[in-house]
Amino acid sequence: MARTPLDRDELVEHWTLLKNEQALVSGKRGATRLGFAVLLKFYTQYGRFPRSRAELPGEAVAFVARQVQVPASELESYDWTGRTVEYHRAQIREHLGFRECSVADAEKLTAYLAEHVAHKERRPEQVRVELLARCRTESIEPPTPGRCDRIVATALREAEESLTALISSRLTVESVERIVALVAGADQGDAGLAGGGTEGEDAPPVLAKVKEAPGNVSLETMLTEIDKFLAVRAIGLPRDLSSTSRRRSWPAGGRGPRWSRLPICGRIR
């Protein structure tokens, strides 16, 4: 998908060198001068450095080139991997008050996401958005994409585990026994079918019935859904248990909670 060209207002707002930035650029020449300037303005806007030359809009490079009085074509001579670019990056971080993401920073970011984000938001891509926003707030340069993925995955897992432990602590012994029986019945039903038995020989396991989609609206399906709710109510869950969880346990499509996604089932099994 083609990128929309930047208009003049966007160029002026995001790619104009300020007076203090001009002072940083003034001691440099040629491709080094232009390369430093575009790195600085990109970092100011996005809170990170471009991963390659391709991320720099041509019109933005031309706009900055006119300000530093260096031909835009000089950027092709800029070394993106050597000592010079590393020195430039360090200068820019120091000027803007940012730092690279350390191991301690990654641990703090993970803990923040697990406590404040991942209980409510289970979509990795949205948790990643919150991670990048938190990096910006804390003046931390975002980690590499792979490291971001690991931080997000760890935060989601830690949030799930803490929620599971919290819910488990609220259940009575009787409720746990009923859930175990419900899950065990479903496992036995699956094993019977795998061993050559037919579902018609016995009634379907209760958990299997609960997990079934409602189907078309009719008196029969309505009565079936009532039976499902009664089966769940018979477990004897605390009335205020839902207030324990701040997470979304509803899958995309709004078809109701999937029992396989409820953390308590995985913990008991």
Side-chain angles (χ1 to χ4, degrees), residues 54-213:
E55 278 199 278
L56 297 170
E59 57 272 28
V61 173
F63 185 76
V64 174
R66 288 193 293 271
Q67 296 176 68
V68 299
Q69 299 180 344
V70 174
S73 59
E74 285 287 311
L75 190 61
E76 302 304 322
S77 303
Y78 186 70
D79 186 359
W80 294 92
T81 58
R83 295 173 57 186
T84 298
V85 71
E86 292 300 326
Y87 176 63
H88 287 176
R89 289 181 175 186
Q91 277 188 296
I92 292 170
R93 291 190 194 101
E94 182 180 0
H95 173 71
L96 297 175
F98 274 68
R99 65 182 184 277
E100 292 185 87
C101 184
S102 65
V103 173
D105 287 327
E107 291 175 351
K108 291 179 181 178
L109 290 168
T110 301
Y112 171 83
L113 293 174
E115 181 178 356
H116 300 285
V117 178
H119 276 296
K120 297 179 290 185
E121 179 56 74
R122 301 299 300 171
R123 293 170 295 177
E125 64 275 12
Q126 292 303 314
V127 177
R128 185 188 180 93
V129 169
E130 295 296 331
L131 167 62
L132 297 179
R134 186 65 178 178
C135 285
R136 185 100 185 193
T137 299
E138 296 294 321
S139 297
I140 298 172
E141 184 177 319
T144 61
R147 196 177 180 195
C148 282
D149 291 341
R150 291 192 293 273
I151 290 174
V152 168
T154 301
L156 287 168
R157 186 183 68 251
E158 290 182 359
E160 189 88 1
E161 289 174 351
S162 66
L163 178 62
T164 299
L166 182 59
I167 292 176
S168 298
S169 68
R170 301 284 303 278
L171 297 177
T172 64
V173 175
E174 292 78 11
S175 293
V176 172
E177 290 176 348
R178 295 183 187 120
I179 294 175
V180 170
L182 199 65
V183 175
D187 289 343
Q188 292 169 6
D190 292 342
L193 290 175
T198 61
E199 192 172 356
E201 292 178 358
D202 297 297
V206 177
L207 183 57
K209 290 178 61 178
V210 171
K211 293 168 65 176
E212 288 178 352

Side-chain angles (χ1 to χ4, degrees), residues 225-265:
E225 294 305 302
I226 292 174
D227 287 341
K228 292 180 184 180
F229 282 115
L230 292 175
V232 173
R233 178 179 291 180
I235 295 173
L237 299 176
R239 290 185 177 274
D240 60 345
L241 186 63
S242 61
S243 63
T244 302
S245 171
R246 294 175 294 174
R247 67 161 280 186
R248 297 176 181 174
S249 57
W250 295 81
R255 292 172 55 187
R258 293 177 182 167
W259 279 67
S260 59
R261 291 191 178 185
L262 295 179
I264 186 60
C265 291

